[in-house]
Amino acid sequence: MFQTWVRAVLARKRGGRVGFLQTSITSLTTQANHQTQKALNFALAQRSHRRNPLFGSLSELGSSLHCNLAVGGARRFCVVVENVKDLKDSHVESESCGSDKDKKVKVLYEKPVDFTKVDVNLLPTVMIIGRPNVGKSALFNRLIRRREALVYNTPDDHVTRDIREGIAKLGDLRFRVMDSAGLETEATSGSILDRTAGMTANVLAKTQFAIFLIDARVGLHPLDLEVGKWFRRHAPGLNPIVVLNKCESLHNGTGSLAGAAAESLLLGFGDPIAISAETGLGMTELYEVLRPSLEDYMLRVLNDDSQDNSSSQDSNCGEDDESKLPLQLAIVGRPNVGKSTLLNALLQEDRVLVGPEAGLTRDSVRVHFQYQGRTVYLVDTAGWLQRTDRDKGPSSLSIMQSRKNLMRAHVVALVLDAEEITKARRSMTHAEVVIARRALEEGRGLVVVVNKMDLLSGRKNSELYKKVKETVPQEIQTVIPQVTGIPVVFVSALEGRGRIAVMRQVIDTYKKWCLRLPTARLNRWLRKVMSRHSWKDQSAQPKVKYFTQVKARPPTFVAFLSGKTQLSDTDLRFLTKSLKEDFDLGGIPIRIMQRSVTRNPGTSNSKSSHSTHRMVERTFSDKRTAIV
């Protein structure tokens, strides 16, 4: 009996899942002697450090394990399922012979939660709300540790109009933070302020936490009370954290800070926190208030989705495909051509503010979504204008921010207005040509999107519609001769037509932008290309030893030449055109560099001297002397 039990324990130690017994555990409990007890404790102690922990005595084993007998084929076996009630990280798989189903136990997470290792899509969302000019964008920049949101002191104007999103880094806390536009409840229906308030209410309904921001220098403003009523009406289940901003010049306990704190209690949302978003004062207190609530939320989410997360991690383990890397797409163009409408059409939701007013977008709004298993980051930029000395304030900051986002993007979508093309009788204005050339100079992929094609629909405009589709690609190629094969997509963002075509062209351009060609294939291609090229002077023909690609994003090649003869501009254009035609690299810039490989005149002499020296050493070596 003792040997039978030891064999069962050792089999469980090797397999880690199932122990095969010929008798019941309960019968073994009464028949085991003192030696059996010692051997069992020793075997269980060796097994305790493995994945499925067992207990140290036979009585504890009988109370903590559940044994079920099942018949599979011609033999009986016992399936041991562990009791994971008090285990911290338990993920047990129990199988039965003849059954393909696995029984999985969810992972139970406990405090403290490491937010730095949590998936970004599972992080809680915190939205910053308040009346205009209380420092919401400054707090947003402080939390994400970057100056992305525009900050400008305009008491009579609204700088922020759209919802900005970012990942906040407050100590070891990580959460998604949203910057909203200033709320004014008395805005007229249909105005910009009324539309921003409606968009804020829609996004607020999807968030889990909120920060109610108040200007401590002013105290409790009557508009703050209206915003509090608006918050209770649109988010009755949320209890916001009241934060007094701009407290860097106030003293705690006396003066206006104590009065502002007492007045904020009239909102009915609890005790306030005094901070300064500009200097970072009070971030520790904000951390201490946010930590318990965010941690409780993350525990609920992780324990509910632990099984799904584990299966998705197992399926994605080992995948490092370049085609699945995040893609940065910047939507640029002149004001009022439909950039924000195109972003809403791609996301299939009202994410940014749209309207007939020109220059409605000020901030560069960055959002992300999933398209065919790939993460795509969309950036809606403000209308591109040439910066002049008259441009001051938010408009000047918007132009600078648009240029920065153009340099960070992988692919640039230049949006044109089909109605303006028909009126001006030309495809691109000077400003649009400047945008396209700057994008190509920065080495970005380019996709041209002609929007508002719905205005050319109908029988009267059928010929005009066809003419626009035929002439626009030709004129674009004439205006931008540096890059051939620029893709042109005709869409109607208002009606949602052409959304899939735009994303297909963007993905295709991005794949070309990341393409890498092997050196052997390039050299075979080079021999064919050089043979069909007509050289004016065969004696002056440069001799390309080999051709290789040194980097991608964008594709960059190096031609190694023998001698001091360099390729002319005509030869470089010929090679560039041949690369785009033979490898289908249209719509992206290609760079070719030259390097000369000079022959050392003393190479042959040095080789002969080295060879004779090696022969001498070989002749008079110690080994040969010993052999002789």
Side-chain angles (χ1 to χ4, degrees), residues 11-212:
R12 177 174 177 79
K13 181 177 179 181
R14 290 192 298 269
R17 288 185 179 179
V18 180
F20 294 91
L21 305 178
Q22 298 295 331
T23 58
S24 175
I25 291 180
T26 55
S27 63
L28 290 176
T29 306
T30 58
Q31 298 177 8
N33 54 13
H34 183 65
Q35 295 179 354
T36 305
Q37 182 72 29
K38 290 183 178 181
L40 178 62
N41 291 338
F42 176 77
L44 294 178
Q46 296 293 326
R47 183 65 180 85
S48 61
H49 64 85
R50 293 177 64 87
R51 182 179 180 183
N52 300 334
L54 299 177
F55 295 89
S57 65
L58 190 60
S59 59
E60 293 176 352
L61 182 67
S63 62
S64 61
L65 302 182
H66 301 281
C67 182
N68 297 324
L69 293 178
V71 178
R75 51 183 182 173
R76 298 175 300 167
F77 59 91
C78 178
V79 180
V80 182
V81 182
E82 297 181 10
N83 185 8
V84 294
K85 185 175 181 181
D86 297 326
L87 297 181
K88 183 176 181 181
D89 293 326
S90 59
H91 182 269
V92 183
E93 296 181 0
S94 61
E95 298 179 355
S96 61
C97 183
S99 176
D100 296 335
K101 296 182 179 180
D102 297 340
K103 182 184 293 183
K104 292 187 178 182
V105 181
K106 296 182 180 180
V107 179
L108 297 179
Y109 293 87
E110 295 182 356
K111 295 183 180 180
V113 177
D114 189 359
F115 285 84
T116 59
K117 298 181 180 180
V118 178
D119 186 10
V120 177
N121 298 322
L122 298 178
L123 291 176
T125 304
V126 180
M127 192 171 188
I128 306 174
I129 63 171
R131 63 180 180 86
N133 202 33
V134 294
K136 298 183 296 297
S137 298
L139 179 59
F140 176 83
N141 291 338
R142 171 66 60 178
L143 291 175
I144 66 173
R145 300 182 183 181
R146 293 191 306 273
R147 298 187 62 180
E148 287 193 359
L150 296 181
V151 179
Y152 200 79
N153 187 13
T154 54
D156 299 331
D157 193 8
H158 297 262
V159 178
T160 304
R161 293 175 177 174
D162 294 301
I163 305 295
R164 293 186 61 91
E165 182 180 351
I167 302 299
K169 300 177 181 179
L170 186 60
D172 58 350
L173 287 181
R174 298 294 184 271
F175 55 90
R176 299 167 61 186
V177 60
M178 289 187 173
D179 179 24
S180 62
L183 296 174
E184 289 189 6
T185 57
E186 296 182 356
T188 58
S189 178
S191 62
I192 296 177
L193 298 178
D194 182 66
R195 281 179 282 168
T196 55
M199 185 174 59
T200 303
N202 295 332
V203 178
L204 182 62
K206 304 176 184 179
T207 60
Q208 292 81 37
F209 304 94
I211 295 178
F212 195 116

Side-chain angles (χ1 to χ4, degrees), residues 438-458:
R438 179 164 297 185
L440 296 175
E441 289 174 359
E442 294 293 336
R444 312 304 173 195
L446 181 63
V447 177
V448 178
V449 180
V450 183
N451 193 19
K452 301 184 181 181
M453 292 298 293
D454 56 305
L455 299 178
L456 302 181
S457 60

Side-chain angles (χ1 to χ4, degrees), residues 461-481:
N461 300 324
S462 59
E463 296 182 0
L464 189 60
Y465 184 89
K466 295 179 180 179
K467 187 176 181 180
V468 168
K469 295 191 69 174
E470 293 177 358
T471 57
V472 169
Q474 299 175 1
E475 292 184 4
I476 290 176
Q477 189 60 57
T478 304
V479 175
I480 311 174

Side-chain angles (χ1 to χ4, degrees), residues 365-379:
V365 183
R366 187 172 185 265
V367 296
H368 73 281
F369 74 107
Q370 296 291 328
Y371 180 78
Q372 296 181 353
R374 181 200 304 272
T375 302
V376 180
Y377 289 93
L378 289 175
V379 180

Side-chain angles (χ1 to χ4, degrees), residues 412-465:
V412 176
L414 176 59
V415 183
L416 307 180
D417 190 347
E419 188 179 15
E420 293 294 332
I421 292 174
T422 57
K423 292 180 180 179
R425 295 184 179 181
R426 58 178 179 178
S427 300
M428 301 177 68
T429 61
H430 176 71
E432 292 165 344
V433 173
V434 170
I435 299 173
R437 290 180 178 177
R438 179 164 297 185
L440 296 175
E441 289 174 359
E442 294 293 336
R444 312 304 173 195
L446 181 63
V447 177
V448 178
V449 180
V450 183
N451 193 19
K452 301 184 181 181
M453 292 298 293
D454 56 305
L455 299 178
L456 302 181
S457 60
R459 296 181 179 179
K460 297 181 180 180
N461 300 324
S462 59
E463 296 182 0
L464 189 60
Y465 184 89

Side-chain angles (χ1 to χ4, degrees), residues 323-341:
S323 62
K324 301 299 181 182
L325 294 177
L327 187 154
Q328 305 277 350
L329 174 61
I331 304 176
V332 299
R334 294 187 300 107
N336 204 25
V337 295
K339 300 182 297 296
S340 299
T341 308

